Amino acid sequence: MADVEFNGETFPVDEDGFIMDFNLWSKNWVQHVKQEEGIDEMSEEHWKVIDILQDYYKKNGIAPMVRVLSKLTKFKLKHIYELFPSGPGKGACKMAGLPKPTGCV
Amino acid sequence: MSKRKKLKINDISKDTEKLSTVETKDLMPLPADFEEKEWADLPEETKEKWACILDDVNMLQIPKPKTVEEEEELVNKFIVGMRKLFTKEDNWTFLPMLETTMEHCAKCNTCSEACHLFEATGGNEMYRPSYRTEIFRRIYKKYVKKEPFSKWRNGDIDLNWKTVARLGELAYRCNICRRCAQTCPIGADNALVAREIRKIFSQELGMTTPELHEKGSMMQLKTGSSTQMTKNVVKDNVEFIDEDFSEEFEYEFETPWDVEGADILLIHNAGEIMAWPENIAAFGIIFQAAGLSWTMSSELAAYDSVNYGVFYDDVQFARTAILHAQAAKKLGVKKIVLGECGHAHKALTVIADRVLPEALKVPRESCFPILRDIVMSGKIKFDPERNNFPVTLHDPCNITRLMGIIKPQREIVHKLCPQFREMTPNGPFNYCCGGGSGFAIMSRNNIPEWRFKVTGRKKLEQMLNAFSDSRGPDIPKYVCAPCSNCKGQIRDIFERYELLEKERMTYSGLVELIVNAMVDVKPGFIKWDEE
């Protein structure tokens, strides 16, 4: 619907601010969401969450359950919330370029 | 709402920017002080693309007409669709109820007092349940039924594209909780009218909300679930839940898949698997402990009980209901049992009767009487002390008001929860959580804020009042809301008003309370904090 511009790159986003096409994801997108989320500095732990989310999404076409994410990253859920203040869906998945989860979730 | 200028029926057709707005000062007061935000402006792209002429929210995506021809097309197609609603062949499902509502409303306005939206907005005319219906009725009488002298007999209406677009959007300002229909002395059903208007827009004009259609019912038909979990993903996820919870709570259980000839095919709302896995685990634990013969199915759509057609489209509804019934037939189960999802109850146990052919009429039941029988049977040992915190019960509209399943849940909480207290009113007279009819899964533009201020306000008041003896952050409290949609709405209300932090309130379903009290399960199934 709308476009988000960051560092000269343009990302089409849906009305919830999620990137419309996973293939357009780039580091500039991460910087954009980082700002939105109010994350000061991207740590290795942030990147670990993003990598795992993207791997899982490429394999399964959907984001993992939060408990699965917690198991795969070995981070407790509480810690994932510390890393991404908006939570695994609105924060981490959005940053990883995954679409907004659908259905009654 | 401005008290000086009361909204009239014919304002719906006027060439104004918007019809109405809900002002903060008019909102129904709550038993606690919460800061309310003013409406944000709708995003520019939204205003450019869709007709946003009703109020401060946009749900239904009606492309803004750019030419006079497009304006006329919108009106003409709407009338064609309305005509179909009043044709037996096209609308055998709901025509008698619709006709009753069209012909016999006495304009007594008893319905208004019953509506939580009307009350929450301080009596904004736009939310009077009969406002939408009266516009619809006048159009019907004048342009479809063509009653002689309709203008004088029924009141006139100016039919232009704004009338149509506003009426469409207004169909998404109702939770379809049917509290108004319940109170109507004649049996008129204003909620039905809201859904029938949604049907015209979807079935005739191809205009819907993305959450319910493209990303909802279409996804379910394509991938098997509105969550987009395919057969393999759902089986992986449930296997993970079985193992993870077995380990954490030291109680071995396993969900059976595709067992031919099982007594029960259990169908969950698949959103539970993704967002509330403890609900799936709790069902697995209870059914196993009770020694039931049951199974889940990995057939397309048969592992997701949602049927979003129930909110907006009879064709999408029928497509999904048939898949559910076919899966049960294929396995040869004795019956389908629905997990904790109110809309699935409405869809598969009530409305499906009107669309399923005889050969597919498998017995379909709610989980609640079965759970009651298990809890009362003495097969499982409970320690109610584990549930010794204030508990109240939210009644999902489709399970209580629509189906009359009132006592089973109560027998369970009375047995297992020493500090259980009712909300007022409750049972069949409950109030909707505010997420009903699809809103709980929508978060575009001002929709969340609207769900808090308007639709969820009465429920928030009820929940706070139920805990008036135990307010504050020191006493943990539990709202039992046995419905995925209600849980989504209540979760968002809790987050918005910081009720976990300020009131130590949490929410979850009924099966979680049962398992939390099971002696053979490690204590602590219900948690107040993320770990």
Side-chain angles (χ1 to χ4, degrees):
Chain A
M1 279 216 52
D3 286 337
V4 163
E5 284 201 17
F6 201 92
N7 274 351
E9 222 176 322
T10 305
F11 303 96
V13 296
D14 67 12
E15 223 192 314
D16 288 289
F18 283 65
I19 197 166
M20 293 285 273
D21 181 358
F22 178 67
N23 296 313
L24 294 176
W25 178 89
S26 75
K27 300 234 160 133
N28 272 332
W29 174 257
V30 173
Q31 292 304 315
H32 157 67
V33 180
K34 173 180 162 247
Q35 242 178 30
E36 244 187 27
E37 275 282 277
I39 296 168
D40 292 334
E41 207 51 57
M42 289 290 289
S43 67
E44 261 176 52
E45 292 185 333
H46 287 106
W47 281 109
K48 188 174 176 187
V49 172
I50 289 176
D51 288 344
I52 284 171
L53 283 174
Q54 293 190 334
D55 276 353
Y56 187 96
Y57 179 72
K58 282 180 206 158
K59 246 178 263 166
N60 300 295
I62 174 180
M65 292 165 51
V66 176
R67 272 179 174 255
V68 171
L69 179 66
S70 170
K71 201 106 185 175
L72 292 172
T73 52
K74 300 192 176 67
F75 297 153
K76 294 206 160 174
L77 185 55
K78 201 175 170 185
H79 188 55
I80 299 176
Y81 271 95
E82 283 161 7
L83 291 171
F84 299 93
S86 309
K90 284 181 219 158
C93 285
K94 192 176 188 177
M95 190 181 262
L98 274 54
K100 185 172 182 277
T102 59
C104 295
V105 293
Chain B
M1 184 189 68
S2 161
K3 298 273 192 267
R4 278 164 291 151
K5 213 177 126 215
K6 198 175 152 184
L7 196 66
K8 297 196 178 61
I9 296 287
N10 279 301
D11 289 342
I12 194 93
S13 314
K14 287 197 174 147
D15 190 20
T16 42
E17 202 182 319
K18 59 184 168 189
L19 181 71
S20 182
T21 192
V22 173
E23 287 177 30
T24 305
K25 66 176 173 54
D26 292 325
L27 293 175
M28 177 189 87
L30 288 171
D33 271 341
F34 295 112
E35 204 185 316
E36 295 294 350
K37 296 179 198 160
E38 295 300 323
W39 299 110
D41 284 336
L42 287 172
E44 281 307 314
E45 306 84 41
T46 306
K47 284 195 280 189
E48 264 167 41
K49 202 162 174 189
W50 313 116
C52 303
I53 52 173
L54 185 74
D55 54 6
D56 302 281
V57 184
N58 171 253
M59 293 204 198
L60 179 60
Q61 298 189 327
I62 304 172
K64 212 163 143 181
K66 291 187 189 70
T67 59
V68 177
E69 287 75 29
E70 283 182 11
E71 290 176 3
E72 282 170 0
E73 196 191 348
L74 184 63
V75 174
N76 293 338
K77 279 193 172 170
F78 179 81
I79 293 297
V80 171
M82 188 186 255
R83 208 169 283 138
K84 287 183 187 167
L85 286 187
F86 290 92
T87 315
K88 203 177 152 199
E89 290 71 26
D90 285 313
N91 196 19
W92 75 89
T93 41
F94 296 99
L95 182 56
M97 290 154 77
L98 184 59
E99 279 185 332
T100 299
T101 308
M102 286 300 101
E103 302 301 336
H104 302 295
C105 171
K107 319 266 160 70
C108 70
N109 274 309
T110 310
C111 52
S112 308
E113 303 303 315
C115 177
H116 58 295
L117 282 74
F118 187 66
E119 187 179 351
T121 57
N124 185 313
E125 282 299 310
M126 190 181 91
Y127 287 101
R128 198 182 279 285
S130 55
Y131 183 79
R132 173 192 310 106
T133 305
E134 182 58 19
I135 293 157
F136 184 86
R137 185 182 289 112
R138 287 187 187 185
I139 299 172
Y140 163 65
K141 299 259 177 163
K142 188 172 169 186
Y143 296 94
V144 173
K145 199 180 178 198
K146 297 183 179 161
E147 270 185 13
F149 312 108
S150 180
K151 181 175 166 177
W152 292 285
R153 291 170 68 181
N154 306 303
D156 201 12
I157 188 90
D158 178 15
L159 183 61
N160 59 42
W161 82 268
K162 292 203 165 183
T163 321
V164 171
R166 282 184 179 133
L167 191 58
E169 186 69 26
L170 195 50
Y172 287 86
R173 295 294 179 280
C174 166
N175 280 124
I176 317 195
C177 78
R178 300 180 72 243
R179 207 168 184 271
C180 58
Q182 177 184 44
T183 196
C184 176
I186 286 163
D189 189 341
N190 295 299
L192 175 80
V193 173
R195 184 176 180 274
E196 295 295 286
I197 298 169
R198 295 179 184 195
K199 261 165 65 178
I200 300 181
F201 276 86
S202 180
Q203 295 179 204
E204 193 62 35
L205 291 125
M207 297 172 191
T208 54
T209 59
E211 295 86 351
L212 298 182
H213 188 65
E214 293 104 272
K215 298 175 189 169
S217 67
M218 291 306 280
M219 280 302 169
Q220 188 169 13
L221 296 171
K222 191 177 139 200
T223 64
S225 166
S226 55
T227 60
Q228 303 187 48
M229 277 191 287
T230 57
K231 173 183 177 163
N232 292 336
V233 175
V234 76
K235 286 177 82 171
D236 267 3
N237 279 346
V238 173
E239 194 185 319
F240 176 86
I241 292 170
D242 290 351
E243 285 170 9
D244 206 32
F245 281 85
S246 287
E247 192 189 308
E248 186 175 347
F249 295 99
E250 296 167 11
Y251 188 95
E252 285 293 325
F253 69 99
E254 199 183 327
T255 300
W257 283 95
D258 301 312
V259 180
E260 283 181 30
D263 289 347
I264 291 170
L265 166 61
L266 176 66
I267 316 185
H268 288 294
N269 179 324
E272 301 278 357
I273 299 169
M274 292 301 294
W276 296 282
E278 58 280 4
N279 185 270
I280 306 298
F283 266 98
I285 291 170
I286 296 166
F287 277 22
Q288 178 159 315
L292 298 191
S293 155
W294 69 290
T295 186
M296 281 180 67
S297 165
S298 64
E299 287 290 316
L300 189 80
Y303 48 86
D304 191 354
S305 65
V306 309
N307 187 340
Y308 291 162
V310 83
F311 302 133
Y312 76 99
D313 188 305
D314 282 358
V315 181
Q316 291 295 89
F317 172 84
R319 286 175 176 149
T320 309
I322 284 170
L323 290 175
H324 287 149
Q326 277 173 339
K329 276 281 169 192
K330 192 174 168 191
L331 285 174
V333 295
K334 292 200 179 110
K335 60 187 173 189
I336 293 174
V337 169
L338 292 159
E340 296 185 354
C341 172
H343 294 98
H345 274 69
K346 178 179 188 174
L348 204 55
T349 54
V350 181
I351 302 182
D353 279 345
R354 299 177 189 195
V355 296
L356 288 179
E358 281 307 315
L360 282 179
K361 280 192 177 154
V362 188
R364 290 147 278 141
E365 276 182 25
S366 165
C367 62
F368 296 106
I370 293 170
L371 291 169
R372 185 261 322 268
D373 291 349
I374 293 172
V375 170
M376 297 301 158
S377 70
K379 272 187 198 163
I380 300 177
K381 247 176 108 181
F382 295 106
D383 176 10
E385 272 306 302
R386 290 195 188 176
N387 283 340
N388 196 5
F389 39 80
V391 172
T392 191
L393 181 64
H394 163 65
D395 287 300
C397 304
N398 290 310
I399 293 166
T400 55
R401 183 160 29 255
L402 180 73
M403 293 181 70
I405 302 171
I406 314 291
K407 282 192 173 170
Q409 316 83 305
R410 289 178 162 72
E411 286 178 42
I412 294 171
V413 289
H414 277 295
K415 185 179 158 97
L416 300 182
C417 306
Q419 297 190 51
F420 173 68
R421 71 280 312 282
E422 290 279 8
M423 289 188 203
T424 311
N426 58 63
F429 305 106
N430 79 319
Y431 281 101
C432 172
C433 62
S437 87
F439 301 145
I441 62 168
M442 298 183 192
S443 55
R444 284 172 288 134
N445 56 75
N446 284 333
I447 300 174
E449 210 44 42
W450 179 77
R451 278 164 45 202
F452 306 139
K453 274 188 190 179
V454 178
T455 58
R457 200 166 183 85
K458 193 67 193 173
K459 185 57 41 177
L460 174 59
E461 180 194 51
Q462 277 197 295
M463 291 189 292
L464 291 168
N465 283 342
F467 296 128
S468 59
D469 64 344
S470 47
R471 292 284 302 276
D474 299 327
I475 305 172
K477 298 171 267 288
Y478 185 93
V479 176
C480 173
C483 165
S484 325
N485 184 84
C486 305
K487 281 196 292 196
Q489 166 74 1
I490 290 172
R491 170 193 59 201
D492 295 350
I493 290 180
F494 280 19
E495 205 180 300
R496 165 68 178 80
Y497 295 106
E498 300 174 312
L499 295 181
L500 176 64
E501 295 80 0
K502 289 180 179 161
E503 297 285 346
R504 205 151 175 72
M505 277 163 73
T506 193
Y507 72 92
S508 202
L510 182 64
V511 284
E512 291 85 343
L513 275 175
I514 297 174
V515 172
N516 198 53
M518 275 175 69
V519 172
D520 291 341
V521 174
K522 198 177 154 190
F525 196 81
I526 291 172
K527 296 183 168 91
W528 271 262
D529 301 297
E530 305 285 10
E531 283 179 6

